[in-house]
Amino acid sequence: MPCAQPCARQPAKSAIMPPLKTDPNIPDADGFYAELIALHNGLSDAESAALNARLIFILANQIGDRDVLSAAMKAAAAARKRGKTNAEGQ
């Protein structure tokens, strides 16, 4: 049942979370990338950022595991600090 107010964080499902998948894991990765880029064609920077935010929330909802989402955010931040843009952050 959804909470009317922000809910307390649910306990982790297990004490050990499997590592994030950072190796390529998308069938036809090039086709996916082309589709993602095409989605942004003709958008302003603000429209593109808003589209990315909507896409992130849709995908986060699909994942549905708060611990996985937190780990992914940390991995993305660490890769940004290293100046990396690929999924592997290498």
Side-chain angles (χ1 to χ4, degrees):
M1 178 168 148
C3 298
Q5 304 176 35
C7 298
R9 186 165 181 223
Q10 299 295 318
K13 293 177 183 172
S14 77
I16 300 173
M17 184 181 79
L20 291 175
K21 294 176 185 175
T22 57
D23 293 328
N25 190 41
I26 302 171
D28 185 25
D30 290 338
F32 169 75
Y33 183 75
E35 185 178 357
L36 181 61
I37 295 304
L39 189 62
H40 291 266
N41 284 344
L43 300 181
S44 68
D45 287 348
E47 291 168 328
S48 182
L51 175 64
N52 281 336
R54 289 190 300 274
L55 181 58
I56 289 167
F57 282 118
I58 290 168
L59 294 173
N61 190 62
Q62 180 67 29
I63 292 167
D65 185 316
R66 186 67 173 84
D67 291 333
V68 170
L69 296 170
S70 291
M73 288 188 285
K74 287 176 186 170
R80 182 191 57 81
K81 289 178 184 173
R82 292 190 308 270
K84 305 300 178 182
T85 58
N86 65 353
E88 297 176 52
Q90 299 175 0

